[in-house]
Amino acid sequence: MGSQLAALNEWVTEVAELTGPDAIHWCDGSDVENAALVAQMQADGTLIELNQQTHPGSWLHRSDPDDVARVEHLTFVCTTEQDDAGPNNHWMSPADGHAKVDALFDGCMAGRTMYVVPYCMGPIDSPLSRCGVEITDSPYVVANMRIMTRMGAPALARIEQEKSFVKGLHSVGELDPERRFIMHFPEELTIKSYGSGYGGNALLGKKCHALRIASHQAKSEGWLAEHMLILGLENPQGETHYIAAAFPSACGKTNLAMLIPPEGYRVDGWKVWTVGDDICWMRPGSDGRLYAINPEAGFFGVAPGTSASSNPNALKSIQSNTIFTNVGVTADNQPWWEGIDNGMSPVTDWRGEPYDASKRPAAHPNSRFTVSAKQCPCYSPEAENPAGVPISAIVFGGRRPSLVPLVFEARDWTHGVLVGAAMGSETTAAASGAVGVMRRDPMAMKPFCGYNFADYFAHWLSLDDGRNKLPKIFHVNWFRKGEDGKFLWPGFGENLRVLEWMIGRVKDEAHAIETPIGHLPTLDDLNLDGVSLSDEARAKLFDFDRPGWKAELDSIGDYLEGYGPRMPQALKDEQQRIVKALVAIEPS
Ligand code: GTP
Ligand code: SPV
Ligand code: MN
């Protein structure tokens, strides 16, 4: 027996002693195991069968109505030194964190089965992949982990060979929001999550491991764990460039990753390949380029807004073998959500009550589908490449109703890191709390960075070591609004036009004008054939508003200062450089 198996057995015994389950089940990830779990969940109402003619192998899960999103105020990073967690995280000392949550775990699995779920984040044979084991009392979590990760026997075999694995302990507890904690102990490669069965709170391989713990590991090992989609953009010449993009939760990663080019582009031979839709692990290769893998094996995607016109590839992916969480259903038992636009209507809402539009939407705004990436028609064969894919461009973006143009390019890596660090976006339904509130969400990692943002920015800057051939960095904003409160840019498939310009810049072929905030395309630099843009859109999307940006840069300066002396001077200098450039062009 390998040393890690011994460590695993010891931990399982320890957890069983603490939580007191009736039975322990080691998951092998097989079809037989899954069928038995599904049957059991159907019998106890955890899963509701959907129309098997239209959606074979698909199920509906209704979560507790108070457990529908991530809970950032209950999410903690427990490092020995508070400063190592940083002002961007809620902190508890490891001793206090363990004590607090272990008291909740004490005896919590009485009457329940404890599932031991070995998983691998990333292709089983990739040196960039990392393994973990989640112990959970939720069969729904097991079924989701089976889709979202490489789960079961192969992962266990890999763990046996490795020096460490991430330990994740999870219980749904009483699903009481007052008795809910998502605790991370990055120094111990440990996660303890209690009281929620939902998404990022409960599928511990995802945000807890692949971002919070992994970002901490990545810092010491010289790589990056990011909240980014990865796509391959194939041009008519058959060349594919890979792009990684960080947008905050519910800000368009899944949609961009599965983009279908506009008609004219399709005819010409443009194609987008999906490598990943949420998380990206990347590190410099021997040639100095950044190589990326998607640590996940499935999509946990936002259902509302997914339609044949907005994201046909997602819609095709979820016709079978899909778990839907908190969507509505039609009279003939098909899943339904706002914006599905398929001519059907809901009769039952996500809480299982008769649909009443005046009461609540049919689908919860953060309702989701869980589906294997293999079902996606544009899933990239390169997603399984153990070496990863070379990244040509990194894109940052958020929901910015004003000020921020459609796209701009950072002048160099340091400027790009500042652009990422200064990212702002309106909050969404992916986390509990108010929606539509503007906040800084650096690199879309505000809820997910497992250490001090000041150190994180320094780590990003350190990649520019003179040897690496780093990607160009861009910023996009699909969400600029007009006077009427409507989006000025059509978005979705049309976003390809912006990606084309980016790759043109990477290849030194596309034109831009230099401004203090970066390189902007003019209206002529983007192919806008066949898009109808209002005069307001044409004016604002390509606009650089000097006084507005001066105020924005001042606010960015204050934000950086908020991190105190740990904030890298290079970033503060970069902010000052831009302020000076803005002031220099001030009309007298
Ligand atoms: P997480 O899974 O929470 O990390 O979200 P995500 O970043 O993958 O977001 P997703 O692609 O699921 O999109 C979230 C919402 O934004 C959906 O309602 C989409 O319809 C909408 N959306 C995505 N892309 C665009 C776009 O280009 N323009 C507009 N206006 N809306 C978009
Ligand atoms: C997000 O909130 O960014 C998600 C969904 O991708 S969750 O898995 O709940 O984190
Ligand atoms: Mn996400």
Side-chain angles (χ1 to χ4, degrees):
M1 186 183 290
S3 63
Q4 288 310 304
L5 276 197
L8 173 56
N9 276 310
E10 205 174 296
W11 176 55
V12 168
T13 305
E14 219 174 85
V15 168
E17 274 165 18
L18 174 65
T19 60
D22 280 13
I24 301 177
H25 177 99
W26 288 70
C27 294
D28 61 14
S30 65
D31 291 345
V32 173
E33 177 182 84
N34 188 56
L37 275 179
V38 166
Q40 172 200 324
M41 284 190 277
Q42 197 187 349
D44 70 16
T46 304
L47 291 185
I48 299 161
E49 193 176 45
L50 288 165
N51 187 324
Q52 296 296 303
Q53 268 74 53
T54 58
H55 292 75
S58 297
W59 308 88
L60 168 66
H61 172 71
R62 293 196 182 109
S63 76
D64 186 281
D66 287 325
D67 184 30
V68 293
R70 285 183 294 100
V71 281
E72 295 179 7
H73 61 296
L74 302 173
T75 299
F76 287 77
V77 170
C78 306
T79 44
T80 310
E81 300 296 329
Q82 179 164 7
D83 256 3
D84 290 341
N88 46 303
N89 280 303
H90 300 296
W91 176 86
M92 240 184 249
S93 74
D96 288 352
H98 284 300
K100 184 123 206 153
V101 80
D102 284 354
L104 300 174
F105 276 108
D106 193 357
C108 75
M109 293 189 192
R112 298 179 187 169
T113 297
M114 177 176 117
Y115 300 93
V116 181
V117 186
Y119 63 85
C120 179
M121 300 310 289
I124 282 280
D125 54 350
S126 170
L128 284 76
S129 300
R130 290 287 187 279
C131 290
V133 178
E134 174 165 359
I135 296 181
T136 178
D137 55 10
S138 162
Y140 165 80
V141 165
V142 176
N144 277 271
M145 285 291 284
R146 182 168 181 269
I147 299 172
M148 295 304 296
T149 72
R150 280 90 171 167
M151 181 268 257
L156 190 61
R158 178 163 169 160
I159 287 168
E160 202 171 346
Q161 315 290 319
E162 304 226 308
K163 288 202 269 309
S164 67
F165 64 94
V166 171
K167 296 185 176 106
L169 173 55
H170 168 254
S171 172
V172 291
E174 304 81 18
L175 293 174
D176 177 354
E178 302 297 319
R179 287 163 58 83
R180 182 174 294 164
F181 283 105
I182 323 297
M183 300 272 197
H184 304 74
F185 306 88
E187 294 152 356
E188 304 163 38
L189 301 183
T190 295
I191 304 153
K192 293 185 177 179
S193 165
Y194 188 90
S196 166
Y198 196 87
N201 300 331
L203 313 177
L204 301 187
K206 196 172 176 58
K207 299 303 166 59
C208 299
H209 176 165
L211 289 179
R212 297 193 192 96
I213 300 287
S215 61
H216 190 273
Q217 259 181 320
K219 178 183 179 282
S220 57
E221 297 173 9
W223 50 285
L224 295 169
E226 301 299 329
H227 191 203
M228 291 177 176
L229 69 93
I230 309 163
L231 65 80
L233 177 59
E234 184 180 333
N235 69 15
Q237 292 75 48
E239 262 172 30
T240 303
H241 278 93
Y242 292 91
I243 298 176
F247 309 150
S249 303
C251 290
K253 290 184 300 301
T254 302
N255 277 270
L256 191 68
M258 297 180 189
L259 179 152
I260 292 193
E263 176 69 25
Y265 279 85
R266 244 178 6 247
V267 170
D268 288 347
W270 289 85
K271 189 152 184 8
V272 167
W273 298 98
T274 309
V275 178
D277 83 325
D278 199 51
I279 302 180
C280 164
W281 286 357
M282 56 190 162
R283 67 162 70 216
S286 51
D287 61 357
R289 297 189 71 187
L290 292 184
Y291 284 79
I293 60 163
N294 169 17
E296 301 191 282
F299 308 123
F300 184 64
V302 177
T306 307
S307 73
S309 60
S310 68
N311 193 347
N313 280 322
L315 206 62
K316 281 185 200 136
S317 309
I318 58 181
Q319 289 311 300
S320 62
N321 309 315
T322 302
I323 301 173
F324 293 90
T325 300
N326 293 340
V327 300
V329 285
T330 63
D332 67 344
N333 209 22
Q334 297 190 48
W336 193 95
W337 49 82
E338 278 66 23
I340 190 170
D341 246 2
N342 61 357
M344 286 185 260
S345 30
V347 295
T348 308
D349 70 20
W350 63 275
R351 295 181 63 159
E353 291 173 24
Y355 173 61
D356 175 352
S358 68
K359 233 163 135 192
R360 65 177 75 95
H364 187 278
N366 193 36
S367 57
R368 301 250 168 186
F369 52 78
T370 318
V371 70
S372 166
K374 292 199 175 110
Q375 295 202 179
C376 180
C378 55
Y379 187 47
S380 168
E382 286 299 299
E384 303 291 334
N385 186 339
V389 295
I391 299 296
S392 298
I394 288 176
V395 183
F396 295 120
R399 289 179 186 263
R400 297 295 302 251
S402 60
L403 184 70
V404 181
L406 181 63
V407 58
F408 62 91
E409 175 196 329
R411 69 204 298 257
D412 57 21
W413 186 259
T414 303
H415 180 211
V417 174
L418 179 70
V419 168
M423 252 171 73
S425 196
E426 289 179 336
T427 53
T428 66
S432 68
V435 167
V437 179
M438 183 63 79
R439 69 167 181 182
R440 296 261 166 235
D441 189 348
M443 295 168 176
M445 286 287 277
K446 167 76 185 73
F448 308 120
C449 185
Y451 63 105
N452 191 321
F453 259 152
D455 300 343
Y456 170 78
F457 302 145
H459 179 49
W460 265 79
L461 291 171
S462 75
L463 288 176
D464 190 11
D465 61 358
R467 286 190 306 262
N468 288 334
K469 296 190 194 68
L470 297 168
K472 272 191 185 288
I473 297 180
F474 298 87
H475 189 283
V476 299
N477 180 20
W478 314 142
F479 300 97
R480 183 88 178 250
K481 287 181 176 167
E483 300 296 343
D484 61 0
K486 296 205 174 110
F487 295 123
L488 289 171
W489 175 248
F492 303 101
E494 308 297 340
N495 293 335
L496 185 87
R497 300 168 189 278
V498 176
L499 302 184
E500 180 192 19
W501 177 76
M502 288 175 187
I503 298 306
R505 292 294 297 168
V506 166
K507 291 164 69 176
D508 235 347
E509 290 168 7
H511 172 261
I513 49 166
E514 206 176 325
T515 80
I517 65 160
H519 304 294
L520 266 73
T522 66
L523 273 162
D524 294 333
D525 296 326
L526 241 59
N527 176 1
L528 295 172
D529 293 352
V531 217
S532 72
L533 289 181
S534 65
D535 290 344
E536 187 191 11
R538 284 171 181 271
K540 285 187 174 163
L541 291 173
F542 300 86
D543 152 53
F544 154 64
D545 161 18
R546 200 203 54 81
W549 275 101
K550 172 69 172 53
E552 174 75 1
L553 262 292
D554 289 344
S555 147
I556 292 167
D558 293 345
Y559 178 73
L560 298 181
E561 282 306 329
Y563 286 84
R566 276 168 96 127
M567 183 55 66
Q569 189 59 40
L571 228 45
K572 296 197 266 185
D573 291 348
E574 187 63 15
Q575 181 267 352
Q576 278 303 307
R577 182 190 66 74
I578 299 170
V579 169
K580 286 198 190 98
L582 285 164
V583 171
I585 58 166
E586 189 163 12
S588 47

